[in-house]
């Protein structure tokens, strides 16, 4: 295993310390590093909290800040954070307007966020993200997995929280954005979880895992590597089939790298995905391209499409100031 | 070779098309994709142009836009752009105030930018970036290599151009920032140039290349992989030795990933580098952490330190709106 670390046990703490130092204008850490929270909260604003296993950076801590999350709870690599982390985060950032949890649909996260929600003596609601159309049920889920579309839910819901929407409205909005969002990914290589010390899966030099999950878990099938155009056609085709978009529908396109794929290839995938979307009459009105929801150093990418109308687009465009997404301020 | 591409020959064109589509609010391409230019130029402002081989994305095209570059000329992967590309870019974005070229010190780039400068029938000057302290002379250079510090030169000079500094002032500023900047990197794996189809270099499962260049070219020595703290101590130590900073000196710290290293590790390297810098009495007042000057999918990172005073810091903080760096607007 080749990684820039000192000890596997201290990796997360040392990384969080670096994150907090590099973005001290935006975030602070909980006393025991249970959460990353925005420096300033605003009374009357619903607190939006997410979290999950580490190893998907910049998700979620990179999205803490004005216009997006109030706090993120980092678990160990690919391991759910504990209910205590979520409770500590909620105590820290709730100003009385309640707490909205945004949770990716994985069994560990679901169980722990649900426990936190039940234990929490504050108004709360939960949005479950399950945008991955690759497989129904999977290694770590009942039902579909939550993947890169999570960042789109976090951005849009975060903007609505910032303008003052109440808890019920944010819950409904989050559910609606999740429903309007679909993703699918492909892996060319495995990743290596530090505590495991060896690759999560073996894959041939000419193979790819079509429909891979963001922990390197299996997708639809293992096949020979094909061209970017063919890959984009399959990923985008599955997304379009799921969303059933009308011609003329406006959309956000997120081409997301899993960590080990260069920008040169991600932008090429934008070209490839646009061919398919244009062919289907979908008008991409906003782009996001980069490694935002990663699987450590796994090579590959996912494509995410979110159908938007003018109100959703305005929330997407609203100012955001986080470590990983920043515009309008 | 596992890459998301269609054909090696069309890789760059398809990637540039995706880049231009994804950032159509900021950039346009030359008619024959000779350059990426900002959509809007402003009469009276010196045009700042850079460029170099592709494969280092987001450098340079990702830094085209308000407050930074006016145009970037992309060569094939790890290959200098041609003088004709630079001339076409200059014709496109110079509004009469002259052209400043920012060039990384590699023999191919130096020769081609120099030819362009000589052929160009407009006022021009050139800033040469050679921030890499790892080696004097190298595979592709006479003298030190230009690496991740280039983005700091481009940001600060770009901000000064935006406020209206003239060509001579920008040339002097660029030289001063280059002199105040030092970098050094380490590679854990090789990258694979698409046209070559195989890794640029072979490296053992327990080895690292200390002082590696951004094309995977050799550095100081091949040694056993050590801890992040030891690596940071060597990289940062070499930088401090080169810059001879006084205690109390303020600085920008850039921890730059080469493409295949996760953010989790880069932020850990921030923690590791800060220990060394604090020990030397250097006060890091601004951070940038991420994969900004890459070597395709190479695993590893570089550390860059730029000594700053209040005027340089104000230029660093000035608004910027590019694909890869955006703040204040």
């Amino acid at each position: 295993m080749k990684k820039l670390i000192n000890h596997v046990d201290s990796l997360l703490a040392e990384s969080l310390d670096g994150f907090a130092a590099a973005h001290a204008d935006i975030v602070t850490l909980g006393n025991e590093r249970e959460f990353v929270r925005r420096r300033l909260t605003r009374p009357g604003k619903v607190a939006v909290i997410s979290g999950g296993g580490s190893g998907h950076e910049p998700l979620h801590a990179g999205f803490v800040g004005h216009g997006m999350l109030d706090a993120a709870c980092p678990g160990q690599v690919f391991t759910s954070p504990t209910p205590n982390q979520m409770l500590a985060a909620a105590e820290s950032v709730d100003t009385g307007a309640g707490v909205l949890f945004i949770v990716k649909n994985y069994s560990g996260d679901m169980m722990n966020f649900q426990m936190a929600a039940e234990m929490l003596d504050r108004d709360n609601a939960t949005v479950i993200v399950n945008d991955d159309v690759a497989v129904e049920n999977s290694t770590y889920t009942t039902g579909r997995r939550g993947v890169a579309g999570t960042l789109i839910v976090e951005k849009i819901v975060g903007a609505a929280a910032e303008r003052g929407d109440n808890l019920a409205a944010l819950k409904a909005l989050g559910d609606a954005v999740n429903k309007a969002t679909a993703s699918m990914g492909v892996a060319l290589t495995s990743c290596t979880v530090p505590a495991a010390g060896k690759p999560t899966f073996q894959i041939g030099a000419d193979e790819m895992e079509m429909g891979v999950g963001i922990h390197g878990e299996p997708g639809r099938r293992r096949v020979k590597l094909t061209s970017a155009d063919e890959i984009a056609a399959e990923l985008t085709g599955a997304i379009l089939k799921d969303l059933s978009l009308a011609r003329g529908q406006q959309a956000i396109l997120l081409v997301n790298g899993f960590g080990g794929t260069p920008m040169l290839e991600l932008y090429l995938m934008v070209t490839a995905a646009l061919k398919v979307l244009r062919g289907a009459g979908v008008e991409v009105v906003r782009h996001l391209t980069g490694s935002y929801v990663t699987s450590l150093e796994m090579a590959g990418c996912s494509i995410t499409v979110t159908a938007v109308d003018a109100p959703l687009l305005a929330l997407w465009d609203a100012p955001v100031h986080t470590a990983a997404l920043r515009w309008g301020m």
Side-chain angles (χ1 to χ4, degrees), chain A:
Chain A
M1 177 176 67
K2 286 184 136 174
K3 293 184 185 287
L4 297 167
I5 61 175
N6 291 308
H7 305 287
V8 168
D9 292 346
S10 61
L11 161 61
L12 181 57
E14 291 173 69
S15 185
L16 286 170
D17 287 351
F19 180 82
H23 304 289
D25 55 328
I26 305 175
V27 301
T28 59
L29 295 183
N31 286 336
E32 297 169 26
R33 303 191 186 90
E34 316 95 299
F35 54 82
V36 175
R37 60 158 282 176
R38 64 165 87 177
R39 193 166 271 286
L40 299 173
T41 55
R42 191 156 45 80
K45 180 194 159 306
V46 171
V48 183
I49 298 177
S50 190
S54 293
H56 304 300
E57 290 69 26
L59 186 83
H60 296 272
F63 304 134
V64 171
H66 181 91
M68 218 160 160
L69 300 178
D70 290 272
C73 303
Q76 292 296 320
V77 173
F78 292 177
T79 303
S80 174
T82 64
N84 283 343
Q85 290 181 262
M86 299 148 198
L87 291 171
E91 294 296 332
S92 179
V93 297
D94 178 25
T95 58
V99 174
L100 185 75
F101 293 115
I102 299 179
V103 184
K104 304 194 297 302
N105 185 37
Y106 293 97
S107 304
D109 293 291
M110 291 291 288
M111 184 177 72
N112 288 347
F113 271 99
Q114 195 178 331
M115 282 180 63
E118 284 167 9
M119 294 162 72
L120 187 64
D121 189 21
R122 296 165 178 273
D123 281 349
N124 68 83
T126 299
V127 170
I128 299 160
V129 183
N130 63 352
D131 55 314
D132 189 343
V133 303
V135 287
E136 194 62 32
N137 303 324
S138 74
T139 315
Y140 305 119
T141 66
T142 302
R144 298 177 2 170
R145 303 174 294 213
V147 292
T150 309
L151 98 78
I152 295 177
V153 175
E154 292 179 358
K155 172 65 183 79
I156 290 177
V157 168
E162 210 66 60
R163 78 177 170 194
D165 286 18
N166 67 27
L167 187 58
L170 293 173
K171 158 71 176 158
L173 176 66
D175 287 344
V177 175
N178 177 57
K179 202 171 167 190
T181 298
S183 302
M184 188 163 148
V186 64
L188 306 193
T189 68
S190 179
C191 50
T192 296
V193 175
K198 57 183 178 48
T200 301
F201 62 94
Q202 296 296 323
I203 185 165
D206 59 349
E207 289 181 327
M208 61 180 173
E209 180 69 28
M210 181 59 71
V212 71
I214 58 171
H215 310 90
E217 66 270 40
R220 290 186 173 184
R221 62 191 201 286
R222 183 70 59 87
V223 288
K224 297 287 179 199
L225 182 61
T226 54
S227 70
D229 280 343
E230 288 176 273
I231 293 168
E234 177 159 352
L235 300 180
T236 312
I239 290 165
L240 289 173
K241 187 178 168 196
D242 181 77
L243 293 177
S244 307
L245 303 181
R247 294 191 78 84
Q249 174 67 52
Q250 294 196 323
I252 297 168
L253 172 62
L254 164 60
V255 173
N256 173 64
F258 284 140
T261 286
M263 295 298 294
L264 203 62
E265 295 172 45
L266 296 182
Y267 282 119
L268 187 149
M269 288 297 290
V270 170
T271 297
L274 283 176
K275 283 181 213 167
V276 184
L277 291 168
R278 284 175 184 151
V282 174
E283 186 195 355
V284 174
V285 291
R286 294 295 183 276
H287 284 265
L288 188 66
T289 312
S291 294
Y292 290 103
V293 178
T294 60
S295 309
L296 297 165
E297 71 285 2
M298 190 164 82
C301 76
S302 60
I303 293 175
T304 298
V305 174
T306 299
V308 291
D309 55 13
L312 287 190
L313 204 53
L315 289 166
W316 177 259
D317 288 342
V320 61
H321 184 180
T322 68
L325 277 193
R326 184 168 175 181
W327 55 70
M329 59 193 302

